[in-house]
Amino acid sequence: MSLDVTALIQPGKVHRRVYTCADIFDAEQERLFRKSWLYVGHDSQIPEAGDVVTTRLANEPVIAIRQRGGDIQLFYNRCKHKGMQLLADGASGNVPALRCGYHGWIYGLDGALKTIPAATGYDDSALRPGCAEGALTPVGALETYRGFLFARLESGGPDFADWLAPMRASLDNMIDRAPAGRLSVAGGVLRYEHKCNWKFFFENTLDALHPMVVHNSSSKAAQRAGKTSDPVDSDEARALNMLAPFSASYSFFDDMGQRAGAFGHGELGGKSSIHAGYDVDPAYWEAMVAAYGEERTKEILGFGPNNSVLYPTIMFKAPVAMLRVIRPIAVDRTMIETWHFRMEGAPDTLLEQTLQYSTIVNSSAGIVGPDDHEAYIRLQAGLKSQGSDWVILSRYAGQVEKDGNGLQIAPGTSDFVFRNQYAAWADAMAQT
């Protein structure tokens, strides 16, 4: 596709077409997503040989399968005969083999073709059980980092270690908050579709200028109710404590800070977060100290990332052990998945906190999420209009410093994280 996007990204602004043009969306799938490292899942979802889980990467259906030797392989979810998906999107479970539900071709866990029904009909062809032509097609590259699975569909993108490096410390922090140093997926997935471009969600997760406006009604009500709520350790009190910071002042969010690095990665918080005021369960503190010692425990729990983005695939929240996956469907349709994690070795109260936060904040039936959903719909509609061609991203332009770890830092309400995302976006989109 011949598509020049160089004029769409200008200092301090981006053209509205990056959110509304279907041709640009199609080019993103080829130039950005297929060559980036995308989140597949977590190895705790497929602990035993024959365990499978399916998902989509850049709209390509794929299957992750635990092998009998313990390794994990990733294949395109497509029978080599007529092309039917072997398993439905979102499927999981344990299988002895993969059988196509259309004509009954059977594949081993390693992707090898095992059985062709009525095989004599293919005697004059090269198709045989075990032949290379009949095997499932593996995805280009698969990497595992402390249980998290990432894949890249095509070569030509960044090396995995280089890509992860800017946010590795934050991902480590989420994992290290488990006394056992390991997370596991808890329960199913909270999945819903937004009627908007995928970039709105990514920007919103790092946008510290919107909470006190978009979430004012729910947060202010929580603050008022919190003055009379009792006891302090009740579910009600914890819920109010989660909601109250959303209407904090601009200075609160500025002081929280933000960081950004190569490949569009970024983070809101670090110095503090909206989770900083949560009470620490004494049993959890004791488990952490027993595992790490008091000084290391203070270091782990003292780091306060609010939202961390591994561009262009996931946002994760270390303090509440939660990960959200962005799966673009069309230029104005995006699937958001929220996955919750159990901190291995931690008391159940930590998982309860994670689920309570997700129910209140992330769920479409919650108190905070619908505010954002409404904003996304209006953003998509507004940028289709002729009112102006440009979206302004110039806040705190020039107020950026280096943090000594290869990242750049700015005030929490800066647009720098967005400018950084679009610099990475432009680099990827310039490739043909």
Side-chain angles (χ1 to χ4, degrees), residues 25 193-197 327-335:
F25 176 86
E193 184 178 317
H194 285 315
K195 295 180 180 179
C196 69
N197 188 267
R327 303 201 187 278
I329 300 172
V331 68
D332 56 359
R333 292 174 58 208
T334 304
M335 183 68 71

Side-chain angles (χ1 to χ4, degrees), residues 82-134:
K82 294 290 186 178
M84 183 177 181
Q85 283 187 217
L86 296 168
L87 296 172
D89 288 341
S92 62
N94 186 275
V95 297
L98 295 168
R99 181 178 184 273
C100 179
Y102 196 22
H103 293 99
W105 286 34
I106 298 176
Y107 301 86
L109 302 182
D110 60 356
L113 179 61
K114 296 296 186 183
T115 302
I116 305 175
T120 56
Y122 297 95
D123 285 348
D124 294 329
S125 75
L127 283 171
R128 299 286 187 280
C131 71
E133 182 182 356

Side-chain angles (χ1 to χ4, degrees), residues 82-380:
K82 294 290 186 178
M84 183 177 181
Q85 283 187 217
L86 296 168
L87 296 172
D89 288 341
S92 62
N94 186 275
V95 297
L98 295 168
R99 181 178 184 273
C100 179
Y102 196 22
H103 293 99
W105 286 34
I106 298 176
Y107 301 86
L109 302 182
D110 60 356
L113 179 61
K114 296 296 186 183
T115 302
I116 305 175
T120 56
Y122 297 95
D123 285 348
D124 294 329
S125 75
L127 283 171
R128 299 286 187 280
C131 71
E133 182 182 356
L136 298 182
T137 303
V139 170
L142 178 67
E143 294 282 351
T144 302
Y145 184 78
R146 299 188 68 180
F148 290 88
L149 306 175
F150 297 90
R152 188 178 64 192
L153 296 177
E154 294 183 4
S155 60
D159 176 78
F160 177 73
D162 292 339
W163 175 82
L164 180 62
M167 288 292 108
R168 186 174 61 191
S170 295
L171 187 57
D172 282 339
N173 180 261
M174 184 165 85
I175 302 167
D176 290 343
R177 286 170 180 261
R182 177 170 173 80
L183 303 176
S184 60
V185 170
V189 60
L190 176 61
R191 182 183 288 118
Y192 50 86
E193 184 178 317
H194 285 315
K195 295 180 180 179
C196 69
N197 188 267
W198 64 275
K199 303 180 201 70
F200 289 132
F201 177 85
F202 258 142
E203 292 176 26
N204 190 70
T205 63
L206 301 179
D207 185 313
L209 279 174
H210 85 277
M212 65 289 293
V213 179
V214 175
H215 307 304
N216 181 69
S217 59
S218 56
S219 182
K220 288 295 186 183
Q223 289 178 6
R224 290 193 296 269
K227 295 178 181 179
T228 59
S229 175
D230 60 7
V232 294
D233 61 346
S234 67
D235 286 342
E236 177 189 357
R238 285 192 293 270
L240 296 175
N241 197 34
M242 292 173 179
L243 288 168
F246 279 93
S247 62
S249 67
Y250 293 108
S251 61
F252 170 85
F253 283 101
D254 264 343
D255 292 343
M256 186 185 295
Q258 62 174 234
R259 309 186 305 160
F263 311 114
H265 302 330
E267 186 166 74
L268 177 63
K271 298 177 181 178
S272 184
S273 76
I274 62 172
H275 313 291
Y278 293 2
D279 293 330
V280 178
D281 185 328
Y284 173 55
W285 175 265
E286 291 176 4
M288 287 290 287
V289 171
Y292 296 105
E294 187 168 343
E295 289 305 311
R296 176 60 178 147
T297 296
K298 289 180 179 178
E299 181 182 348
I300 293 170
L301 301 185
F303 179 47
N306 196 74
N307 293 329
S308 305
V309 164
L310 275 167
Y311 191 80
T313 180
I314 59 173
M315 181 275 280
F316 61 94
K317 296 179 76 69
V320 288
M322 179 187 303
L323 181 147
R324 307 184 77 185
V325 189
I326 293 80
R327 303 201 187 278
I329 300 172
V331 68
D332 56 359
R333 292 174 58 208
T334 304
M335 183 68 71
I336 305 294
E337 296 177 352
T338 303
W339 295 90
H340 313 96
F341 291 86
R342 180 184 297 278
M343 297 182 186
E344 297 294 340
D348 289 343
T349 53
L350 272 295
L351 178 58
E352 292 169 5
Q353 174 180 271
T354 294
L355 297 177
Q356 185 178 23
Y357 181 89
S358 190
T359 300
I360 295 170
V361 176
N362 294 332
S363 172
S364 295
I367 300 173
V368 176
D371 295 337
D372 291 321
H373 302 177
E374 177 70 13
Y376 300 154
I377 292 170
R378 293 191 186 188
L379 283 163
Q380 192 71 42

